[in-house]
Amino acid sequence: PVAASGQNAPLDGTLKKIADDGVVVIGYREASIPFSYYDDAKNPVGYSMDLTAIILDRIKAKLGKPDLQVRKLPITSQNRISLLQNGTIDFECTTTTHNASREQQVDFSNTFFAIGTRLLTRKSTGITDFPDLKGQNVVVGAGTTSEILLRKMNADQGMGMNIISAKDHAESFLMLSTGRAKAMMMDDALLAGERAKTKDASEFIITGTPQSREAYGCMVRKGDAQLKKLLDETLAELQTSGKAVAIYDKWFRSPIPPRGLNLDFALSDDMKALFAAPNDKILN
Amino acid sequence: MIALKNVSKWYEDFQALHDCSVAVEKGEVVIFCGPSGSGKSTLIKLINGLEDFQKGDILFKGKSIRDRDVRLPEWRRRIGMVFQHFELFPHLSVLGNLTIAQQKVLKRDAAEAEHKAMALLDRVGLRAHAGKYPSQLSGGQQQRVAIARSLSMDPEVMLFDEPTSALDPEMISEVLAVMVELAQEGMTMLCVTHEMGFARQVADRVVFMDAGTIVETAGAEAFFSAPQSDRARDFLGRLLL
Amino acid sequence: MIALKNVSKWYEDFQALHDCSVAVEKGEVVIFCGPSGSGKSTLIKLINGLEDFQKGDILFKGKSIRDRDVRLPEWRRRIGMVFQHFELFPHLSVLGNLTIAQQKVLKRDAAEAEHKAMALLDRVGLRAHAGKYPSQLSGGQQQRVAIARSLSMDPEVMLFDEPTSALDPEMISEVLAVMVELAQEGMTMLCVTHEMGFARQVADRVVFMDAGTIVETAGAEAFFSAPQSDRARDFLGRLLL
Amino acid sequence: MGYNWNWGVLLQPVATGEGATYLGWILHGLLLTAALTLAAWLLALLVGTAFGILRAWPSRLCDAIGATYVSLFRNVPLIVQFFIWFFVVPEVLPTAIGDWIKSITPSTQVFVVSVLALGFFTGARICEQVRAGIAALPPGQLQAAQALGFRLPQTFRHILLPQCFRRILPPLTSEFLIISKNSAVASTIGLLELSGQARQLVDFTAQPYESFIVVTLAYIGLNIVILRLMEWIQRRIRLPGMMGA
Amino acid sequence: MFALEWDTILAARSIIGAGIAVTLQVTLVAIVGGIAGGTVLAMLAVSGSRPLQLFSKYYVALFRAVPLVMLLLWFFLIVPQILRAVFGLSPSVDIRLVSAMVAFVLLESAFFAEIIRAGIIGLSKGQFHAAAALGMTRYQSMRYIILPQAFRAMLPIMMTQCIVIFQDTSLVYVISLGDFFRNTVSIGERDGTLVPMLLLAGAVYWAICSGLSGLVRFLQNRTAS
Ligand SMILES: Nc1ncnc2c1ncn2[C@@H]1O[C@H](COP(=O)(O)OP(=O)(O)OP(=O)(O)O)[C@@H](O)[C@H]1O
Ligand SMILES: Nc1ncnc2c1ncn2[C@@H]1O[C@H](COP(=O)(O)OP(=O)(O)OP(=O)(O)O)[C@@H](O)[C@H]1O
Ligand SMILES: [Mg+2]
Ligand SMILES: [Mg+2]
């Protein structure tokens, strides 16, 4: 009965475009474990991809087009907004943090994941929290919220850190594992994913007080209320029905492809709160 | 056939031709001579539309080169030209040099063009060299190929700009022989040359130029036996030394 | 002073010198002549250690160039050399050309080197041109600077390799005049030249070469008036034509 | 296309709270690009000349050493060379040295690595120019110098090289221009020169057009300045009576 | 750290293969498109028309002033929608590949234009006159007389430029396009074998490029003699 009212409204925005083209294009990330990354057959898989698949089923149902073509395009943190704005992709649910400056250019759906930004370090360094980073080399992903926070902290508290901006997660982790950086700051869930890649995962720990809490949302074009509504409803239903927890367990608490590693990453309080009360708020 | 009327030409600031007028009738052979830098090459190039000019007019069969419906490529096609340095196309065989313009400009088919080319090569005595490349020929042979190439376009007039002055002495005669033959067959010819023996033999008229002006125009016999101007006398004197 | 003993030299497979022997005393002026390619330049270069040789020996004041304690730069410093194409250093002024080797090789200080240079420029009549660059001088002037440059190293012998053959006729005499003066001052000189007038004037002996061998060595007067060998006679005959 | 132009963003304080504006970042990037270009060009000149002399030295062994250098540094893409200098060299050096390198301030590290990578890469090209420049000199020049008693090193230093450099000055200055563009590759190892700043601005401001336009204009401006500088140098160094002066 | 793990490389051969395919595609398109565009620009540069000459001149100056890295980023980050519109691409086409190809074609056009223009200018004026005197139009003389000679004269330089292009394609790294180099690096990062993988990439490029340069020298010597 909820969906029925939507079906009566005339299509507009992206949904109309999808209906007209008979094609929907989604964005994915190539190396954001465990949200969106390649399995052995070079297919994008992950927590975000599972959500995307469910959303796509919803779109097909809404448009009454079970044979709607789905195309997938790899995106990066640098081109995702451009590609969405210029119509190359129709929406993306990957690992994009919902924040105020991005709201200038795009709209965000309900939050589908909440993270805290923390540290990954070798146990042997003895680093346990941010104050330990004084005078050290620390790596962050270029253009991430973590970079902004870390540089701010460095400037405000005169910590004398040398901050390395790496272009992606893999490079960040390379800096850490080769000893160029003592610690790596990033979204904790992604840190868990990076750590799981390496053969000596047990030597690394995720540590430190979260410096920020961030909400991942799906990006849609600005003003595209109809698509946003569909995404919001779909995500809310998954979260309140408990299906979202099942998907979470599949990717964060069980062995995942390609190497059968287990991230063993417990459901955070923020996530529990989110699943209890779906919303599209910016976390602070 | 060809007429220049008060033509003046400047290269930027430098005036290369001053108010030149010449008229050449069909079948006439006119020789242009004069000291280096006097404007002979420039004048020849103007007739063929290879250089622009600023004043006066040039007519071919009564039609001005400035006429709105004159298309320069067609104009040039009807006027043959032979250069001092042959200017054969080095990337094409002798046969290729003779057929390419026939095919691309006159749209003759390959067989027809080749037939015509071979006939002309025969005429200049180079049939056996059709498959060679220009660099494999002597200067005299190259110049004969160049003449044949011009003729392949069925020109109504032929222009020659010092066709033998880049040649070793022993090759000059073989080129001049071809030109004499052409003249005798009645081709209208305008020819810059310092070969006075040749000029005497074929010229109807001689045009003497100096410093961009036409100093004297005379019948060939009259010019060689009794040039009117001092400058021509001087020039001939030095030439015959 | 200088002695070549049975010297043979090969450029790869080609034998440029066959078993050449010459001895030059202090203060002697010896002229080398012979047709092109006869090995004159090669011989001169060997004396200065600018080319290697395979057989025989070369002595300078009794010391062999092959001696273990001979240092070639020092050897060359003591023997002056003037080249056909002057080989002035185009990036240095005339003064710079004359001082650089004094400063860098002989370690003279700047003032001393310049003083010496100016004196030598005076001697070759070019004091006024000290500040110019080689390309701003005529060929004859350049060659005189080159001679002055050689002299600035206080050589004990001077070698000349056709010092005037790259010059326009009107400049030859100004260079020869400098060389005559040198000879008269008692400089030991080995000189490749075709200037027979000069040779007659200054030569103590003439060495005639052909095809890499020394065909004839004679006193100057004897050589010019009555050359012994057919080849020398032939050569002189063609030269005087 | 739904883009919100906002040129004012360039004058906003940066999101990292470091007290700069985004335009300030770009200017800083421009400065780094200029410094990197100059340093790399000087290194390239040094390295290229050294190996160029080796190639021109009358010794087969020296020539072979020079030729090997050129072959190695010309036949491997620049970005690969950057990565090798940055990631491989510290690992193949003795562990103590490698660790010391890695502990240097990262921004210094990437700058030095960039100078080395660009310098040695361009040095290979300059090496060939020097070799050709010396080979083009009349052989009599070497002989004339030797006849005056110059030793071989002196001959190169005082006679051959000064002439060679005057001849190859135009290509040498073009190399300067080429380095200024190749320096953008340094952003791949994290140096925040001009192009690196362009990307950083995209990340931080979500206003890609503004930052790209400004940075591209900065490159064009740099290019024009270098061209003028090249003309000036070439005029200055011309000898009277040579090279069309 | 230095030992190449051949079995992991072997396991990743499909990724490396895909990378090589991308490298070759970009190289090939850059060469073909660059020569075509360069020819057009060179012809504009020697055309009689002042505006066309200026266009060619400023095009070349502009593209030679901007680093390739910036150019690649422009087409990838900033104007992909223009590419889509111009080429009528379907939404599923990997825009990175198209961006790279377009950036390379535009840039290499400028480089080839300079080379070809030098080749044309190197021809004597007599050849232009001879072609014109036979009645050929401007286009015909270019097509049949001038360009064939210019290309022949510039062949060694053009071939050298092709090798440079092959090397430069590795810069598609900056737009995350998986060419040979980037995929090699990714495997290295993934397996912790970055050092040997980088050395491997360097060795492969070196072998190919020095082989090709040798070939160019060989051809040059053969045509010279
Ligand atoms: N393209 C040009 N630009 C400027 N000046 C030119 C050009 N072509 C020719 N001139 C000048 O025009 C004058 C006439 O030249 P032209 O070649 O017509 O003389 P010419 O009589 O053919 O001499 P020659 O016997 O040496 O061939 C000369 O002073 C020459 O320097
Ligand atoms: N560097 C070299 N390599 C190979 N052969 C050489 C070399 N230099 C000279 N030759 C050859 O050695 C022979 C003697 O040359 P040289 O220059 O000594 O003759 P020359 O008597 O000075 O002649 P000219 O009067 O022409 O200067 C010539 O056949 C010459 O071709
Ligand atoms: Mg002429
Ligand atoms: Mg000689």
Side-chain angles (χ1 to χ4, degrees):
Chain A
V2 181
S5 66
Q7 260 164 359
N8 297 334
L11 291 175
D12 67 10
T14 302
L15 283 177
K16 179 168 184 336
K17 177 187 164 232
I18 293 172
D20 292 348
D21 292 355
V23 183
V24 58
V25 188
I26 56 127
Y28 67 88
R29 304 294 294 259
E30 293 172 298
S32 297
I33 308 170
F35 293 94
S36 171
Y37 65 100
Y38 287 132
D39 66 6
D40 256 345
K42 240 194 166 207
N43 292 316
V45 296
Y47 176 84
S48 300
M49 286 297 104
D50 280 0
L51 297 183
T52 303
I54 293 166
I55 292 165
L56 287 170
D57 286 342
R58 270 304 184 86
I59 292 176
K60 286 176 189 168
K62 173 163 177 97
L63 301 180
K65 289 194 172 185
D67 56 347
L68 184 69
Q69 271 194 64
V70 177
R71 291 191 175 142
K72 300 176 181 177
L73 190 77
I75 56 175
T76 71
S77 48
Q78 286 155 4
N79 69 353
R80 55 192 168 189
I81 293 181
S82 298
L83 294 182
L84 183 73
Q85 283 178 327
N86 66 42
T88 302
I89 57 174
D90 292 319
F91 69 93
E92 65 97 37
C93 302
T94 54
T95 59
T96 306
T97 297
H98 180 179
N99 67 29
S101 81
R102 290 180 185 145
E103 268 189 353
Q104 308 279 318
Q105 304 285 351
V106 296
D107 280 348
F108 283 87
S109 73
N110 270 357
T111 301
F112 62 85
F113 204 89
I115 54 91
T117 46
R118 305 182 69 198
L119 293 174
L120 181 66
T121 181
R122 269 185 206 275
K123 280 178 183 155
S124 56
T125 59
I127 293 170
T128 57
D129 206 348
F130 285 89
D132 299 335
L133 296 178
K134 275 203 176 72
Q136 302 286 3
N137 293 352
V138 186
V139 63
V140 289
T144 58
T145 346
S146 297
E147 184 183 12
I148 298 179
L149 292 168
L150 197 65
R151 288 170 71 162
K152 226 175 206 154
M153 182 191 299
N154 205 22
D156 293 349
Q157 304 178 21
M159 291 176 69
M161 284 183 280
N162 296 313
I163 298 170
I164 306 172
S165 308
K167 66 176 185 308
D168 56 28
H169 312 323
E171 191 184 303
S172 300
F173 188 70
L174 185 75
M175 295 288 167
L176 181 67
S177 60
T178 57
R180 272 203 156 87
K182 284 283 180 327
M184 162 177 178
M185 176 179 177
M186 215 164 50
D187 306 359
D188 51 9
L190 288 166
L191 289 178
E194 284 304 314
R195 182 181 60 169
K197 280 198 323 193
T198 161
K199 286 171 199 151
D200 47 0
S202 57
E203 286 186 22
F204 293 91
I205 51 163
I206 297 170
T207 182
T209 326
Q211 291 301 303
S212 68
R213 296 150 60 226
E214 295 180 18
Y216 290 171
C218 301
M219 283 201 296
V220 300
R221 271 179 280 276
K222 205 160 174 53
D224 195 346
Q226 209 172 52
L227 180 59
K228 174 172 158 53
K229 182 158 171 270
L230 183 144
L231 295 181
D232 286 348
E233 287 170 1
T234 310
L235 289 171
E237 191 191 311
L238 285 173
Q239 290 165 353
T240 51
S241 68
K243 280 185 202 150
V245 175
I247 298 172
Y248 182 92
D249 286 345
K250 172 180 167 195
W251 291 103
F252 288 89
R253 303 188 63 85
S254 325
I256 56 167
R259 297 205 189 168
L261 293 155
N262 189 337
L263 269 56
D264 221 358
F265 192 73
L267 197 64
S268 68
D269 293 343
D270 276 334
M271 287 292 285
K272 284 176 192 157
L274 174 69
F275 287 179
N279 64 76
D280 65 355
K281 298 282 179 300
I282 297 175
L283 279 177
N284 93 332
Chain B
M1 189 93 170
I2 298 270
L4 279 79
K5 298 210 166 134
N6 304 96
V7 170
S8 291
K9 149 100 191 154
W10 283 260
Y11 287 113
E12 266 127 67
D13 292 343
F14 175 76
Q15 186 164 7
L17 292 179
H18 296 256
D19 220 21
C20 294
S21 298
V22 193
V24 179
E25 294 309 312
K26 188 167 161 57
E28 253 191 327
V29 175
V30 179
I31 300 292
F32 291 77
C33 63
S36 179
S38 56
K40 309 177 297 291
S41 299
T42 304
L43 190 134
I44 289 285
K45 282 187 209 150
L46 290 195
I47 296 175
N48 212 1
L50 291 176
E51 295 269 7
D52 227 356
F53 58 100
Q54 285 79 15
K55 271 199 190 162
D57 202 358
I58 295 178
L59 306 171
F60 175 34
K61 290 187 149 178
K63 188 151 198 112
S64 161
I65 196 169
R66 300 248 196 249
D67 228 68
R68 299 193 107 242
D69 62 347
V70 162
R71 290 181 50 253
L72 269 185
E74 171 63 10
W75 176 285
R76 294 182 186 131
R77 205 271 311 150
R78 292 167 62 197
I79 301 178
M81 173 136 184
V82 175
F83 299 84
Q84 180 175 7
H85 293 105
F86 332 137
E87 305 298 350
L88 293 181
F89 304 134
H91 62 300
L92 298 175
S93 68
V94 166
L95 188 62
N97 267 278
L98 266 73
T99 50
I100 186 149
Q102 291 190 63
Q103 292 183 253
K104 304 302 174 190
V105 177
L106 296 178
K107 313 287 179 204
R108 288 182 183 150
D109 67 30
E112 191 186 351
E114 199 172 316
H115 183 78
K116 172 108 188 168
M118 292 312 283
L120 284 166
L121 282 178
D122 235 354
R123 183 162 161 192
V124 299
L126 291 170
R127 175 180 267 270
H129 301 271
K132 289 193 182 165
Y133 280 80
S135 57
Q136 299 171 304
L137 301 181
S138 75
Q141 291 171 325
Q142 289 190 51
Q143 192 60 296
R144 284 185 283 156
V145 172
I147 295 174
R149 183 177 68 178
S150 269
L151 293 174
S152 74
M153 304 305 288
D154 299 323
E156 299 163 47
V157 186
M158 287 285 285
L159 310 177
F160 294 82
D161 187 6
E162 308 206 28
T164 58
S165 67
L167 296 178
D168 290 339
E170 63 268 32
M171 295 167 183
I172 293 182
S173 60
E174 68 190 44
V175 172
L176 290 180
V178 171
M179 293 170 63
V180 169
E181 206 182 297
L182 257 182
Q184 286 165 349
E185 285 167 13
M187 174 62 81
T188 313
M189 288 164 65
L190 283 73
C191 183
V192 177
T193 185
H194 293 154
E195 294 294 329
M196 288 305 148
F198 165 76
R200 270 207 158 130
Q201 186 179 350
V202 300
D204 294 309
R205 264 185 313 145
V206 175
V207 174
F208 176 73
M209 299 182 66
D210 191 14
T213 57
I214 292 182
V215 177
E216 182 170 348
T217 308
E221 219 27 69
F223 180 78
F224 288 113
S225 49
Q228 300 286 302
S229 61
D230 290 349
R231 277 187 283 179
R233 228 181 337 265
D234 191 49
F235 175 75
L236 279 177
R238 265 184 291 122
L239 213 63
L240 302 177
L241 259 187
Chain C
M1 188 95 171
I2 298 268
L4 278 79
K5 297 211 166 133
N6 304 97
V7 171
S8 291
K9 150 102 190 155
W10 282 260
Y11 287 113
E12 266 129 66
D13 291 343
F14 175 75
Q15 186 165 6
L17 292 179
H18 296 258
D19 217 19
C20 293
S21 299
V22 193
V24 180
E25 293 310 311
K26 187 164 163 58
E28 254 193 324
V29 175
V30 179
I31 300 290
F32 291 78
C33 64
S36 179
S38 55
K40 308 179 296 291
S41 299
T42 304
L43 190 132
I44 290 286
K45 282 187 208 152
L46 289 196
I47 295 175
N48 213 1
L50 292 175
E51 295 269 6
D52 228 356
F53 60 99
Q54 287 78 17
K55 270 198 191 162
D57 201 358
I58 296 179
L59 306 170
F60 176 32
K61 290 186 150 182
K63 191 155 195 108
S64 162
I65 196 169
R66 299 247 196 251
D67 229 69
R68 297 195 108 238
D69 62 347
V70 162
R71 289 180 53 252
L72 268 183
E74 171 63 10
W75 178 285
R76 292 180 186 133
R77 204 273 309 149
R78 294 166 63 197
I79 301 178
M81 173 137 185
V82 175
F83 297 84
Q84 179 173 9
H85 293 104
F86 333 138
E87 305 298 352
L88 293 182
F89 305 134
H91 61 298
L92 298 174
S93 68
V94 166
L95 189 61
N97 266 277
L98 265 70
T99 52
I100 185 156
Q102 291 189 61
Q103 294 184 251
K104 304 302 172 189
V105 176
L106 296 179
K107 312 288 180 203
R108 289 183 182 150
D109 65 34
E112 189 188 352
E114 201 172 313
H115 182 78
K116 172 108 188 168
M118 293 312 284
L120 285 166
L121 282 177
D122 233 355
R123 181 162 163 191
V124 299
L126 292 169
R127 174 179 266 271
H129 300 270
K132 288 195 182 165
Y133 280 81
S135 56
Q136 298 171 307
L137 301 181
S138 75
Q141 291 171 324
Q142 289 189 52
Q143 192 61 298
R144 284 184 284 154
V145 172
I147 293 174
R149 183 176 67 178
S150 269
L151 292 175
S152 74
M153 304 305 288
D154 300 322
E156 300 164 45
V157 186
M158 288 284 287
L159 311 178
F160 294 83
D161 188 6
E162 309 206 25
T164 57
S165 65
L167 296 177
D168 290 339
E170 63 268 31
M171 295 167 182
I172 291 180
S173 60
E174 68 191 43
V175 171
L176 290 180
V178 171
M179 291 170 63
V180 168
E181 206 180 297
L182 256 184
Q184 287 166 347
E185 285 167 11
M187 175 62 83
T188 314
M189 289 165 66
L190 282 73
C191 182
V192 178
T193 185
H194 292 156
E195 293 294 329
M196 289 306 148
F198 164 75
R200 267 206 162 134
Q201 188 179 348
V202 300
D204 295 307
R205 266 185 309 145
V206 175
V207 174
F208 176 73
M209 298 183 66
D210 191 14
T213 55
I214 293 182
V215 177
E216 183 171 347
T217 308
E221 220 27 69
F223 180 77
F224 288 114
S225 50
Q228 300 288 301
S229 61
D230 291 349
R231 278 187 281 179
R233 233 184 330 270
D234 190 50
F235 175 76
L236 280 178
R238 265 184 290 124
L239 212 64
L240 303 177
L241 259 184
Chain D
M1 63 186 204
Y3 186 79
N4 299 322
W5 288 95
N6 178 13
W7 287 99
V9 76
L10 292 173
L11 295 174
Q12 280 169 14
V14 297
T16 57
E18 286 159 332
T21 60
Y22 288 114
L23 191 64
W25 275 7
I26 292 179
L27 290 178
H28 188 255
L30 181 62
L31 216 66
L32 257 186
T33 293
L36 172 58
T37 302
L38 193 65
W41 186 68
L42 291 175
L43 177 66
L45 220 52
L46 205 75
V47 173
T49 307
F51 281 99
I53 292 172
L54 275 186
R55 292 219 66 184
W57 205 262
S59 142
R60 269 180 210 283
L61 179 67
C62 291
D63 185 27
I65 295 172
T68 308
Y69 161 70
V70 171
S71 167
L72 279 178
F73 283 83
R74 259 174 66 149
N75 289 317
V76 175
L78 180 58
I79 187 174
V80 182
Q81 294 190 28
F82 263 96
F83 274 60
I84 289 177
W85 280 105
F86 190 57
F87 290 114
V88 178
V89 169
E91 305 297 337
V92 299
L93 289 173
T95 319
I97 302 177
D99 286 348
W100 174 75
I101 292 175
K102 289 188 223 163
S103 68
I104 300 172
T105 314
S107 53
T108 312
Q109 248 184 78
V110 288
F111 185 81
V112 172
V113 162
S114 301
V115 171
L116 287 171
L118 281 170
F120 275 83
F121 177 77
T122 315
R125 302 160 54 103
I126 291 182
C127 171
E128 288 303 272
Q129 288 159 8
V130 169
R131 185 188 61 79
I134 291 176
L137 296 175
Q141 288 285 310
L142 173 71
Q143 293 185 345
Q146 295 195 326
L148 286 170
F150 279 104
R151 284 175 290 112
L152 206 49
Q154 288 179 314
T155 308
F156 271 83
R157 160 78 184 77
H158 297 294
I159 308 302
L160 301 183
L161 287 177
Q163 293 185 54
C164 166
F165 277 116
R166 282 188 171 79
R167 271 168 196 256
I168 65 172
L169 193 71
L172 283 186
T173 46
S174 312
E175 290 303 331
F176 194 83
L177 203 65
I178 293 171
I179 293 182
S180 77
K181 288 182 286 167
N182 280 343
S183 67
V185 180
S187 65
T188 58
I189 58 165
L191 186 70
L192 283 176
E193 40 64 74
L194 260 180
S195 73
Q197 293 290 7
R199 281 199 274 176
Q200 174 162 283
L201 255 66
V202 175
D203 293 340
F204 283 131
T205 66
Q207 299 284 142
Y209 286 86
E210 289 84 347
S211 53
F212 261 66
I213 288 171
V214 171
V215 166
T216 302
L217 288 177
Y219 272 112
I220 293 172
L222 191 66
N223 192 72
I224 292 171
V225 169
I226 293 176
L227 278 174
R228 291 272 171 284
L229 211 67
M230 277 160 53
E231 284 169 15
W232 181 77
I233 294 175
Q234 287 180 22
R235 260 202 316 275
R236 283 272 331 240
I237 208 149
R238 233 175 245 164
L239 284 179
M242 280 184 79
M243 296 202 288
Chain E
M1 188 99 204
F2 305 139
L4 271 179
E5 296 175 11
W6 285 109
D7 45 336
T8 62
I9 295 176
L10 222 58
R13 65 182 180 275
S14 68
I15 301 181
I16 293 184
I20 291 173
V22 167
T23 296
L24 292 181
Q25 280 176 56
V26 176
T27 306
L28 208 69
V29 169
I31 289 173
V32 173
I35 290 177
T39 308
V40 173
L41 285 167
M43 288 180 66
L44 296 185
V46 298
S47 76
S49 151
R50 188 95 188 114
L52 293 181
Q53 279 176 356
L54 284 182
F55 170 78
S56 170
K57 184 180 154 191
Y58 284 115
Y59 178 96
V60 171
L62 174 70
F63 277 90
R64 296 188 64 164
V66 181
L68 177 53
V69 167
M70 283 297 289
L71 208 58
L72 285 164
L73 291 171
W74 260 108
F75 283 100
F76 170 59
L77 293 183
I78 313 291
V79 292
Q81 68 271 34
I82 295 181
L83 297 185
R84 280 188 189 286
V86 170
F87 294 102
L89 300 176
S90 96
S92 62
V93 172
D94 184 348
I95 197 67
R96 293 172 300 181
L97 188 59
V98 183
S99 303
M101 286 173 171
V102 171
F104 268 100
V105 166
L106 292 178
L107 177 74
E108 299 306 336
S109 294
F111 279 97
F112 279 115
E114 286 291 277
I115 295 172
I116 296 167
R117 194 175 65 95
I120 293 175
I121 289 175
L123 291 178
S124 75
K125 205 170 179 190
Q127 289 287 311
F128 290 86
H129 280 167
L134 287 171
M136 290 194 185
T137 60
R138 244 196 132 70
Y139 168 78
Q140 286 174 327
S141 17
M142 275 291 164
R143 164 78 182 76
Y144 299 111
I145 307 301
I146 304 303
L147 284 180
Q149 294 187 55
F151 274 112
R152 221 162 278 204
M154 290 294 136
L155 200 60
I157 300 181
M158 289 174 65
M159 288 196 290
T160 306
Q161 181 65 19
C162 292
I163 299 175
V164 171
I165 295 175
F166 172 68
Q167 289 190 17
D168 281 352
T169 54
S170 56
L171 287 177
V172 300
Y173 184 90
V174 300
I175 59 171
S176 334
L177 177 56
D179 72 327
F180 167 67
F181 175 60
R182 191 180 176 100
N183 283 0
T184 315
V185 170
S186 318
I187 293 166
E189 285 178 340
R190 189 192 71 190
D191 301 347
T193 54
L194 187 64
V195 167
M197 287 310 274
L198 281 174
L199 291 173
L200 176 73
V204 169
Y205 275 111
W206 178 82
I208 294 176
C209 294
S210 56
L212 289 176
S213 332
L215 188 69
V216 171
R217 266 197 305 276
F218 170 75
L219 293 175
Q220 226 172 330
N221 291 340
R222 225 187 42 175
T223 45
S225 60

